[in-house]
């Protein structure tokens, strides 16, 4: 490894040395395809926009494009389109590759080019790929890849976009440097690096002194940030180290080529591509909940209304079953003494207790990388079982559950094949077994649950308590959702529907006076009580439990 004696036995390397040979021959400009297509809306939108400045950066990225062709649009110039993926059986993302000039604010510079390209190509994420300069050999060696956690200029400091930032934390997982001899050089990936973005290297040393936490200096990134900020798009910078800021200033061009190859390889890592598309294409409507059960337009993002529920773990003992309270729902992945790493997890509870809302919550937490334990899963699938009754094959389940956008780049066959071959990276949530009916001889849902299919996938099934018997046997561990077990939870949830804190106090007093605590434990009924409180009948609030249920039923019938 450059700058030190590494554990793979390679000698100390510096910029005057040639880098280790790559496992492929770098492209030359003369190798670029001559295939050209007239500009068309059929190209759009793309999933990923790659921005480069130097030829070596552009060529390194182009090496990984599949089925590439170029097209021309006067506002951004030539654009190379292609797919990202190992072969036709993998997830294929639509990618656009654009080259811009060095100066970020110049016409055609990274800011102008990125702004025009983002508005025209409508990518889900924009990535600036290329080479950079390490601030010291202790922080990053020659060839190492740095992924931005924040970008610092002389006038501001900003973190990378949240969703992409969460994703790239594990960008090094499973990645192998594309070297002819993997033992010749150890290439590290720093997934949490601060970049200094400069116009050139002349003032970089002084900026390094002002920002001692910076790992590397890059050129052009501030233009990308400005464009991404203006267009409200996800962005990240991925660059390989080609030299040191305090070096001789005469970088060996072969190290630039090597650094760009490493950065492009990390950017195009197939398993990360899968996670990228699943995060960026998350169906936002699936992660919303209705605040009025009969009104679709009342749907709001789940994070605005979700209130943590009380959970218990069932423990089977010779003396009978006992229940242990969980601190957080993610404790279900910790297992028990019988199943240290459970893959079949049963969640049950009363009607309206929040089982389906939990499913949306775990999907939201995964898509936003809010729970560390969920990040080991590259694929998260949420399937409503009532939508897949009578399906005979898991592929049919994927189609019927409408998991994929109709105009998306991922084919159902590709998703199915990926799941089959990467089961340990898949979390499958099957919601509402009590609503599932299958009259066919073979039920793919039950075969999955029993481990006859997708044995190594992690599977969560939710159901009402009455349907538990059929599912308990194959399950590794069981959990019950108890809803809101204390007044703090009830007040927090009610506060999302009522107009003021004073109103919440009066409302909870009403619940106490009418002995309605047990109703308020159930989120659906508590929401109905809040609706009733906000819009009481003309003759006033019901004075009995029977009257409350009568009003619930009448409200539903009215709508």
């Amino acid at each position: 490894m450059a700058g030190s004696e590494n554990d793979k036995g390679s000698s100390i390397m510096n910029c005057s040395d040639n880098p280790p040979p790559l496992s492929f021959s770098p492209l030359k400009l003369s190798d670029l395809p001559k295939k050209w297509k007239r500009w068309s809306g059929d190209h759009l939108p793309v999933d990923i926009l790659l921005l480069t400045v130097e030829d070596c950066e552009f060529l390194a990225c182009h090496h990984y494009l599949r089925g590439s062709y170029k097209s021309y649009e006067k506002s951004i110039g030539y654009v190379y389109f292609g797919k990202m993926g190992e072969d036709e059986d993998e997830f294929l993302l639509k990618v656009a590759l654009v080259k811009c000039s060095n100066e970020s604010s110049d016409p055609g510079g990274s800011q102008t080019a990125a702004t025009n390209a983002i508005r025209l190509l409508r990518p889900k994420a924009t990535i600036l790929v290329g080479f950079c300069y390490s601030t010291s050999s202790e922080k990053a060696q020659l060839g190492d890849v740095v992924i931005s956690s924040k970008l610092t200029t002389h006038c501001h400091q900003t973190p990378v976009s949240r969703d992409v930032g969460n994703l790239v934390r594990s960008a090094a997982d499973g990645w192998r440097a594309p070297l002819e001899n993997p033992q010749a050089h150890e290439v590290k990936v720093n997934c949490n690096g601060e970049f200094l973005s400069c116009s050139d290297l002349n003032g970089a040393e002084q900026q390094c002194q002002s920002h001692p936490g910076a790992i590397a200096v890059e050129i052009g990134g501030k233009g990308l940030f400005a464009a991404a900020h203006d267009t409200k798009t996800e962005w990240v910078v991925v660059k390989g180290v080609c030299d040191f800021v305090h070096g001789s200033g005469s970088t060996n061009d072969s190290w630039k080529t090597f650094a760009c190859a490493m950065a492009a390889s990390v950017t195009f890592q197939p398993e990360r591509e899968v996670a990228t598309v699943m995060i960026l294409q998350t169906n936002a409507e699936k992660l919303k909940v209705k605040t009025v059960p009969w009104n679709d337009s009342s749907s709001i993002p789940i994070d605005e209304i979700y209130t943590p529920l009380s959970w218990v773990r069932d423990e089977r003992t010779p003396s009978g079953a006992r229940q242990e309270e969980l601190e957080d729902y993610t404790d279900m992945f910790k297992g028990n003494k019988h199943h240290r790493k459970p893959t079949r997890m049963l969640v049950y509870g009363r009607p309206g207790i929040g089982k389906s809302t939990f499913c949306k919550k775990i999907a939201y937490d995964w898509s936003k990388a809010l729970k560390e334990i969920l990040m080991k899963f590259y694929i998260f699938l949420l399937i409503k079982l009532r939508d897949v009754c009578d399906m005979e094959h898991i592929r049919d389940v994927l189609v019927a559950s409408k998991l994929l956008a109709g105009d998306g780049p991922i084919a159902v066959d590709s998703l199915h094949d990926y799941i089959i071959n990467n089961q340990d990276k898949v979390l499958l949530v099957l919601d509402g077994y009590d609503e599932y009916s299958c009259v066919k001889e073979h039920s793919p849902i039950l075969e999955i649950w029993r481990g006859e299919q997708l044995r190594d996938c992690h599977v969560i099934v939710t159901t009402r308590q009455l349907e538990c018997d059929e599912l308990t046997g194959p399950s590794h561990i069981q959990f019950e959702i108890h809803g809101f077990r204390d007044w703090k939870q009830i007040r927090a949830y009610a506060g999302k529907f009522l107009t003021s804190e004073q109103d919440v106090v009066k409302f909870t007093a009403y619940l106490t006076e009418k002995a309605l605590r047990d109703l308020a434990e159930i989120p659906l009924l508590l929401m109905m009580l809040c609706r009733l409180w906000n819009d009481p009948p003309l003759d006033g609030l019901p004075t009995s439990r029977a009257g409350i249920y009568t009003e619930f039923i009448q409200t539903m019938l009215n709508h």
Side-chain angles (χ1 to χ4, degrees), residues 145-150 160 164-165 168-172 189-195 215 236-239 263 266-267:
V145 178
V146 182
I147 302 177
S148 59
S149 63
K150 64 181 68 172
V160 73
V164 171
V168 299
R169 288 177 188 167
S170 55
V189 180
N190 190 311
C191 303
N192 192 33
E194 177 184 352
F195 270 110
I215 291 177
V236 71
V237 178
V238 182
K239 296 200 172 187
V266 170
T267 301

Side-chain angles (χ1 to χ4, degrees), residues 531-544:
R531 291 292 169 192
L532 191 61
W533 179 269
N534 287 332
D535 187 19
L538 294 177
D539 55 351
L541 290 169
T543 57
S544 68

Side-chain angles (χ1 to χ4, degrees), residues 24 26-32 52 54-64 97 260 264:
F24 61 89
L27 294 176
K28 301 176 182 178
L29 290 174
S30 58
D31 296 325
L32 292 176
T52 61
E54 301 290 344
D55 288 344
C56 57
E57 299 172 337
F58 177 86
L59 292 170
C61 290
H62 192 279
H63 169 78
Y64 290 95
L97 175 59
C260 293

Side-chain angles (χ1 to χ4, degrees), residues 306-318:
Y306 185 79
T307 302
L309 302 166
S310 293
W311 285 67
V312 294
R313 181 203 318 265
D314 284 348
E315 294 288 352
R316 309 293 178 181
T317 65

